[in-house]
Amino acid sequence: MITVLSGGTGTPKLLQGIKKIVRPEDLTIIVNTLENNYFSGVYVSADVDTVLYTLSDLINEEVWYGQKNDTFNTYDTLRELGYNETLRIGDKDRALKIQKTLLLEELSLQEAIKIQKNALGIKSEVLPMSNQQSNVEIDTTEGLMSFHEFLITKQAQPEVNDVIYNEVTPANGVIEAIEDSDHVIIGPSNPITSINPIIMMPGVKKALKKTYVTSVSPFIGDSTFSGPASKFMLAKGYEADPVGVCRVYDDFLDHYIINNSDKKHISKINKIIPKVSTENIILNTIDEKIHLAKVILNI
């Protein structure tokens, strides 16, 4: 059994490789829900939906959000009517979000996701990290703001003092999925706002210490694949590079994979964990994704 801890950008790229070599029934993905919220009356669980679209081959790989070949008639019409949506949501993507919103009137997030993943023909398990609503605030030089205000309205420009989020409890099966796994994979997602909210939930670190954990760095040098991870890492007191990420996971990490160009960091990383590998982690092609998945799983 393989369990993957996922955010919404870097890790789904790796998932495309993993799902080619692992039976879907043997794969569980635990997904960050820190940024979930309501927009334009619909419940948006961006990272969860990205994982669903990735597993069902519907993901828009140009932006790693929403469905490929989607239309934006509703979005455009809302703008014509004078309502400017914060998020640009496609029509098919909006339909999935509307259904989830309606399901949440009677069901938990976990139950709603199960209905949707079954409807999409996904045989792997997809678990939200929690059924409870998370709240995240970004403490910036311009004051406290929501994650989406910081990321979208402010374009991640303000300097960050801290990232603050509340503690939630794991969804049903999260701890068991980790403990029962032969291998847990932490993909190259933002360590602070995508992965740390998962591992900071009660019982998760304890479970991770009982299994074998591999992480892929989201940094190449001091640059990230996407998003403001560098600002968040520095705000939390970590280096904004592969070494800093290793420190975030040092309580339980067994194997760490960094990019070929980051060999200079190996000596520092070896002082934190003994096993570090260098590979191509940029993952532009499906062959590169499959190769890295095979390296991780020693196939």
Side-chain angles (χ1 to χ4, degrees), residues 195-214:
I195 303 300
N196 212 36
I198 301 175
I199 65 178
M200 292 303 291
M201 292 189 300
V204 173
K205 279 191 178 183
K206 182 179 179 181
L208 287 168
K209 290 177 182 180
K210 296 179 181 179
T211 188
Y212 192 87
V213 182
T214 295

Side-chain angles (χ1 to χ4, degrees), residues 41-54:
V42 297
Y43 186 77
V44 176
S45 52
D47 290 0
V48 169
D49 293 349
T50 295
V51 168
L52 293 177
Y53 294 149
T54 300

Side-chain angles (χ1 to χ4, degrees), residues 3-6 29-34 109-110 127-135 165-178 191-209 251-252:
T3 294
V4 179
L5 307 189
S6 181
I29 302 94
I30 299 170
V31 193
N32 168 52
T33 59
L34 183 71
L109 177 59
Q110 183 171 359
L127 299 174
M129 72 180 203
S130 178
N131 287 307
Q132 297 175 315
Q133 180 61 42
S134 300
N135 297 302
Y165 44 83
N166 62 316
E167 183 180 280
V168 294
T169 58
N172 297 331
V174 165
I175 300 297
E176 292 80 1
I178 294 171
I192 303 303
T193 55
S194 291
I195 303 300
N196 212 36
I198 301 175
I199 65 178
M200 292 303 291
M201 292 189 300
V204 173
K205 279 191 178 183
K206 182 179 179 181
L208 287 168
K209 290 177 182 180
D251 284 348
F252 50 79

Side-chain angles (χ1 to χ4, degrees), residues 16-17 20-21 285-295:
Q16 288 183 321
K20 294 289 186 181
I21 62 173
T285 69
I286 188 61
D287 287 342
E288 290 170 344
K289 296 166 186 175
I290 292 171
H291 172 75
L292 184 58
K294 287 181 175 180
V295 168

